[in-house]
Amino acid sequence: MEGRNRRPLVFGAPAGGMDGSSPRRATARCCRSQNTMISLCDLKPALAPLRADIEAAIGRVIDSGWFLRGRETAAFEEEWADYCGQRYSVCCNSGTDALTLAAMALGLRQVTIQANTLPLTGLGLHRAGAAVHLAEIGVDGHLLGPDEDAVPVLLYGRLPSAAESSALLFDAAHAHGWRPPSQAAAAWSFYPTKTLGAFGDAGSITTNDPALADEMRKLCGRDDLLQDRRQLTSRMDEMQAAVLRVKLRHLDRWLAERQDIADRYADWLAPFGLTLSGSSMHHLYVIRTDRRDALLHFLEAHDIHCKVHWPQGLHRLPGPWSALGEFPNTDAWCDTVLSLPCYPGLALPFVDEVSQKIIEWIEL
Ligand SMILES: Cc1ncc(COP(=O)(O)O)c(C=O)c1O
């Protein structure tokens, strides 16, 4: 249940500057050369120092002449389970497949998900044969009154609310570094931009239940036998596993960097009431403002790349789900969220610059 590097961000709380002074008086040392974009996410700085290790790992796979269902995947499964504090990890082709495999193995007939997630959560669960119901969120963005069928999505890396914590399955695609509660299975995505990202598609489910892990291995269709008539062909390849094994060794450091970035944004922006409350693994650093689109355009005009995760709730999109009732909180959420640049290797003066631009916009 505990996430690593947890430090609460208090919504709207007064905060001191980095040097103990008012953050608004602190001067950012801008090291951006002209016409350089500040990206939402740039994978290159974190990868550069790992290049030799990654090339060696890929070389090891090539030399082995073994590309699927091999030692790298088996080793990564052990290492990832251990990192997550769970006994088993079953690797597969994507986070969407991870949701499908977990829901199939758990035999879920009904699931409830929050409407402010992305379609892949709903699609992954629906493919398992579950009826997907959309639920409204609270003003804090978490599932409102989660029922026993809830599959909470740990959006942006935010840790589950107390009410969400008893769920049996989590969409943890954004929450690398979080340790799932002992009763739960967690579906992970290693999509390249995720906090732990592969060099292509990859995913995993972690669990403490040996029977569930066994069932999921059969459902992955790992060999050329028919193990289960519902099985998918969903494997992680050896290259991805080898790359992920190298990157996993740096994950704690990257999470700490994300926390530093988040703390810095909070120093600047919490006094303006823009930041979200609660603990997070900070896969994304998200703020909220009523004039979100105007701010997005202002930042784009200053070569600062931001993004909306996501502009519409699932209740507004056609898909294999049902939505009952009204979703005013979800609509308000989707109209106001904005993800700011946040990735390991993003220098803090850039965070200062983004924050100062936002404050400049507020004060226009
Ligand atoms: C919250 C969430 N769930 C599930 C997925 C699906 O993961 P994948 O793209 O690996 O299939 C994503 C991917 O972006 C995601 O953000």
Side-chain angles (χ1 to χ4, degrees):
M1 275 276 291
E2 289 299 290
R4 294 174 170 80
N5 309 310
R6 293 194 317 128
R7 210 150 356 129
L9 296 182
V10 182
F11 188 75
M18 281 64 71
D19 55 358
S21 64
S22 157
R24 295 177 57 195
R25 266 185 275 125
T27 312
R29 278 174 293 113
C30 174
C31 48
R32 182 154 66 127
S33 55
Q34 264 195 339
N35 302 326
T36 311
M37 183 99 182
I38 301 182
S39 307
L40 177 74
C41 175
D42 182 355
L43 302 178
K44 294 188 294 301
L47 282 176
L50 277 54
R51 184 158 184 138
D53 287 351
I54 289 178
E55 284 180 354
I58 290 174
R60 202 167 60 226
V61 175
I62 296 172
D63 291 343
S64 76
W66 196 281
F67 299 103
L68 280 169
R69 299 187 284 129
R71 285 186 190 160
E72 298 290 341
T73 308
F76 177 69
E77 285 188 333
E78 264 189 41
E79 289 160 11
W80 179 240
D82 189 47
Y83 187 85
C84 295
Q86 297 215 287
R87 285 175 66 195
Y88 307 98
S89 156
V90 177
C91 285
C92 60
N93 189 250
S94 68
T96 312
D97 280 3
L99 287 163
T100 305
L101 292 160
M104 266 188 199
L106 284 162
L108 303 183
R109 307 306 310 154
Q110 314 268 344
V111 293
T112 307
I113 58 171
Q114 63 236 54
N116 62 340
T117 186
L118 81 174
L120 297 181
T121 306
L123 288 174
L125 295 166
H126 164 77
R127 286 189 319 189
V132 179
H133 305 293
L134 303 181
E136 171 64 309
I137 54 170
V139 286
D140 60 0
H142 291 287
L143 257 173
L144 197 60
D147 60 23
E148 58 185 8
D149 300 323
V151 179
V153 187
L154 306 186
L155 283 179
Y156 325 140
R158 298 176 83 204
L159 302 196
S161 66
E164 289 171 330
S165 296
S166 54
L168 291 181
L169 175 61
F170 288 86
D171 179 343
H174 289 186
H176 303 82
W178 168 71
R179 288 168 174 255
S182 58
Q183 86 287 348
W188 307 91
S189 165
F190 302 117
Y191 184 85
T193 55
K194 294 291 188 271
T195 301
L196 180 64
F199 283 4
D201 276 318
S204 156
I205 314 103
T206 54
T207 175
N208 282 324
D209 180 342
L212 190 68
D214 200 41
E215 183 84 353
M216 291 189 295
R217 283 183 209 288
K218 288 182 188 153
L219 287 166
C220 282
R222 290 188 172 211
D223 48 34
D224 40 11
L225 302 174
L226 183 65
Q227 300 277 8
D228 188 304
R229 58 197 290 266
R230 300 167 300 165
Q231 78 192 37
L232 316 174
T233 302
S234 183
R235 310 166 181 131
M236 181 187 285
D237 66 67
E238 289 283 282
M239 293 278 188
Q240 302 306 342
V243 169
L244 286 168
R245 290 185 70 199
V246 174
K247 293 183 75 180
L248 181 55
R249 300 204 291 269
H250 301 270
L251 184 52
D252 279 340
R253 184 168 52 80
W254 291 335
L255 286 165
E257 271 193 61
R258 286 179 182 276
Q259 184 66 56
D260 287 346
I261 290 168
D263 288 345
R264 191 74 154 227
Y265 275 131
D267 280 344
W268 286 105
L269 302 177
F272 295 89
L274 299 179
T275 54
L276 301 183
S277 62
S279 301
S280 175
M281 308 315 294
H282 301 298
H283 168 56
L284 298 170
Y285 190 84
V286 174
I287 60 167
R288 291 186 73 187
T289 166
D290 288 346
R291 294 189 295 136
R292 188 267 317 281
D293 290 343
L295 176 58
L296 177 62
H297 294 135
F298 178 83
L299 293 173
E300 292 282 354
H302 289 89
D303 288 329
I304 295 168
H305 184 213
C306 299
K307 198 176 164 186
V308 176
H309 293 93
W310 289 273
Q312 280 189 302
L314 295 192
H315 62 294
R316 300 216 168 263
L317 299 173
W321 39 70
S322 61
L324 271 184
E326 304 292 313
F327 291 78
N329 292 345
T330 304
D331 285 334
W333 191 268
C334 295
D335 287 345
T336 53
V337 286
L338 184 65
S339 305
L340 304 182
C342 180
Y343 55 87
L346 176 66
L348 292 180
F350 288 151
V351 178
D352 294 338
E353 193 183 337
V354 175
S355 306
Q356 287 179 327
K357 277 282 165 243
I358 293 171
I359 294 168
E360 187 183 316
W361 172 80
I362 291 170
E363 293 175 343
L364 273 179

